[in-house]
Amino acid sequence: MLDTARIRQDFPILSRKVNGVPLVYLDNAATSQKPRSVIRALVDYYERYNSNVHRGVHTLSMEATDAMEEARQKVADFVNAESPSCIIWTRNTTEALNLVAQGWAMEHVAAGERIVTTAMEHHSNLVPWQRVARERGAELRILPLAEDGALDLSDVNSIIDTRTRLVTAVHVSNSLGTINPVKALAARAKEVGAAFLVDGAQSVPHMPVDVQDIGCDFMAFSGHKMLGPTGIGVLYARREALERMEPFLVGGEMVLQVSYEDATWNDLPMRFEAGTPNVADAIGMGAAVDYLNGLGMDRVREHEIQITGYALDAFGEIEDLDVFGPADPEKRGGVIPFHTTEVHAHDFGTVLDRRGIAVRTGHHCTMPLMETLGVAATARASFYVYNTEEEVDVLVDAVKEAMRYFLDGSR
Ligand code: 7TS
C-alpha cells in the first residue's frame, strides 16, 4: 500500500488551511496537486538552464534540449510507447484531441463515413468530432450508456461498422468513474479498419497504461492531472498514424527546408510542434513521471481501489443520496459523483468548502451525459495518491451535515 503520510509531506499545498481548517483536496479529476520535486524541476530549469531548444549550439540550449527530450523518453516509457518520436507535446488533452481531429480526421474521414464515440465523453472528446462530422459530411454515432454506468455494447458491431473511420472512447470517465473496455473497442475498430483514439486524461495518471497492449492508434492525456504542471499535455500516436497526419500549426521548428514558395516538414515528432515548445513544463512532466514511477503505478491503482471502495461503502449508507457509476471499485477510477434531490450540487460545494473540502460541482464538461442521467449537476469527489480514509470520513460527515441542514431548512 502507499504510505500516504509520507507522500503528503512531498506536497507543500496539503499543509495549508482553508477557512481555518486543514485542506481536504478531493478535486483531483480536475487537476492534481504537485510534489516538491516537480516544483523544483521548474525552478531549476528557470534558475540554471532556461534557454530555447533544438536551435542553439550553446551549453544552455543543449542542456534544455537534452532535459526536454529526456522527459519525452520518460513519458514514452510511462505508457510503453514504441519510441519517444510517438510522443507529441501539446498544451493539454483537449489540444491533443483537436490535433487528431484537425490533423488526421479532417484528412481521412470522407462524406458518408462514420466516427463513433461514447455517451460519456468529456466535451473535449465530443465537440471536435461534431465539427469534423459536420465539415466532412460524416455521421457521428454514439455508443450508449447501460444502467450500471458502463457502456452498453450489445449493438457494438452494428454501431462500429465497415463505414467507420474513427472510434474514440474515454478510458476512465471523469463523470462516472467507469473504466471502459478500450482493448475490446480497439479490436473492433481494427476489425473494420478504423483508427482508435483513447482519451486517457483520467487513466494515465491513475493506473498502469500500455498503449501497445491496448492497441490504440492515439492516446491523449494532460500533465496537470498526473502531478505535473499545467500547460503541458501529450498526444501519443503510432508512427504509421503520425505519418498519415498533417500538422495543423505551421511555422518555425516544424519545417526542414523553406523557400519563399514552399516548405517541407521536419521529422517526427517536431513536425507537430510548431514554435517554441513549453520546455519548462515538459521537464516538469518528466519529474512527475519520475515521482509516479517511484510510487509504482500498480500501487497507485491499488490505493485508488481501496479508498474508492471505502468511500462507496460510506456513501452507500447515506439515505436519499445517489452515487453514479459502477458499484464495484475494481471497475471504476477514484471518482465519486453524488447527487440528491434535496441539495443542489453547488450548495454541497459551498457547504463542503466551509469545512476545507474541495470537490467539483456542476456538469463536469459532460452535459449530454448529465441529460442521460436525468440530473442538471452532480457533486464529485475524486481521489489521488495523497488522499486518506480519514479525509473520506471528513467528507462523508460534511455531506451528511449538509443534507441535514438543507432538509431541516426546507421543512
Ligand atoms: N478528457 C477527460 C476525460 C477529462 O476528464 C478532461 C478534464 C479532459 C478531457 C480535458 O482535459 P484538459 O487538461 O484538456 O482540460 N476534466 C476535468 C474535470 O473533470 N474537471 O475539470 C476538468
Side-chain angles (χ1 to χ4, degrees):
M1 282 307 294
L2 294 181
D3 182 353
T4 44
R6 196 191 55 69
I7 290 171
R8 292 180 72 81
Q9 290 175 1
D10 295 333
F11 291 78
I13 206 168
L14 296 181
S15 57
R16 74 161 278 183
K17 291 192 168 172
V18 170
N19 294 321
V21 288
L23 167 68
V24 175
Y25 187 77
L26 300 175
D27 194 17
N28 294 286
T31 201
S32 67
Q33 298 303 344
K34 324 301 173 198
R36 210 170 267 114
S37 60
V38 168
I39 299 165
R40 255 201 229 120
L42 299 177
V43 173
D44 192 45
Y45 166 73
Y46 284 122
E47 286 189 349
R48 289 201 318 109
Y49 60 103
N50 169 54
S51 179
N52 212 325
V53 289
H54 295 143
R55 318 182 174 199
V57 290
H58 63 78
T59 301
L60 264 52
S61 178
M62 287 189 288
E63 285 179 9
T65 305
D66 287 350
M68 190 182 85
E69 293 310 320
E70 202 182 303
R72 196 192 302 272
Q73 178 74 58
K74 286 175 187 174
V75 171
D77 292 343
F78 192 64
V79 294
N80 194 31
E82 307 86 294
S83 141
S85 63
C86 300
I87 300 296
I88 312 292
W89 298 123
T90 63
R91 275 191 305 142
N92 46 36
T93 301
T94 304
E95 189 175 284
L97 295 167
N98 274 274
L99 178 53
V100 180
Q102 295 300 315
W104 190 92
M106 284 293 190
E107 295 289 318
H108 298 295
V109 179
E113 294 186 328
R114 287 171 179 153
I115 298 170
V116 176
T117 187
T118 84
M120 60 173 91
E121 297 306 314
H122 188 279
H123 296 160
S124 293
N125 201 31
L126 176 63
V127 180
W129 312 119
Q130 293 172 346
R131 181 155 82 174
V132 173
R134 201 164 42 239
E135 290 193 16
R136 303 299 298 145
E139 183 193 352
L140 181 59
R141 292 183 146 194
I142 307 287
L143 288 167
L145 201 65
E147 280 295 309
D148 60 354
L151 285 177
D152 175 356
L153 295 175
S154 50
D155 285 332
V156 67
N157 288 349
S158 63
I159 295 173
I160 302 175
D161 64 6
T162 51
R163 283 162 72 188
T164 308
R165 276 293 130 262
L166 177 74
V167 178
T168 180
V170 66
H171 194 173
V172 175
S173 160
N174 68 315
S175 285
L176 293 169
T178 315
I179 301 175
N180 284 320
V182 285
K183 219 171 151 171
L185 290 172
R188 178 59 190 162
K190 200 167 180 187
E191 238 168 45
V192 298
F196 184 52
L197 160 67
V198 180
D199 175 350
Q202 301 291 352
S203 61
V204 173
H206 298 274
M207 58 182 63
V209 169
D210 181 331
V211 289
Q212 296 190 70
D213 181 56
I214 291 169
C216 56
D217 297 281
F218 305 101
M219 183 177 289
F221 50 103
S222 295
H224 70 94
K225 293 187 198 285
M226 51 188 283
L227 310 181
T230 50
I232 189 79
V234 166
L235 176 68
Y236 155 80
R238 275 195 328 118
R239 203 175 169 90
E240 296 80 355
L242 277 183
E243 274 160 3
R244 298 188 68 220
M245 206 159 104
E246 278 296 307
F248 86 115
L249 287 178
V250 292
E253 276 280 294
M254 55 73 65
V255 283
L256 205 56
Q257 284 290 332
V258 183
S259 67
Y260 281 117
E261 293 77 29
D262 209 359
T264 56
W265 302 157
N266 203 341
D267 290 338
L268 297 170
M270 262 91 82
R271 192 182 307 166
F272 297 101
E273 295 176 356
T276 300
N278 186 349
V279 183
D281 295 321
I283 293 167
M285 186 167 179
V289 165
D290 286 341
Y291 190 92
L292 287 170
N293 282 334
L295 300 179
M297 289 309 290
D298 283 326
R299 291 199 303 160
V300 169
R301 174 69 187 134
E302 234 174 71
H303 171 72
E304 208 140 289
I305 292 171
Q306 174 119 357
I307 194 166
T308 304
Y310 183 82
L312 286 174
D313 287 347
F315 272 105
E317 286 177 9
I318 306 178
E319 226 177 290
D320 296 329
L321 191 77
D322 295 323
V323 174
F324 296 112
D328 180 355
E330 303 267 354
K331 293 186 176 160
R332 64 188 294 158
V335 170
I336 313 262
F338 53 96
H339 176 268
T340 172
T341 46
E342 317 296 341
V343 186
H344 192 280
H346 294 294
D347 292 332
F348 262 137
T350 309
V351 172
L352 297 185
D353 183 58
R354 266 193 246 140
R355 302 269 298 253
I357 306 165
V359 297
R360 195 85 167 169
T361 60
H363 52 63
H364 316 291
C365 295
T366 53
M367 285 165 80
L369 174 65
M370 293 293 129
E371 204 178 311
T372 304
L373 296 175
V375 296
T378 66
R380 180 191 71 186
S382 52
F383 308 121
Y384 212 7
V385 293
Y386 33 70
N387 290 124
T388 63
E389 292 181 358
E390 290 73 33
E391 288 181 306
V392 174
D393 294 340
V394 173
L395 169 71
V396 169
D397 278 352
V399 167
K400 285 181 184 162
E401 185 191 274
M403 288 180 72
R404 269 196 307 270
Y405 176 81
F406 283 100
L407 273 176
D408 288 350
S410 66
R411 281 198 191 117

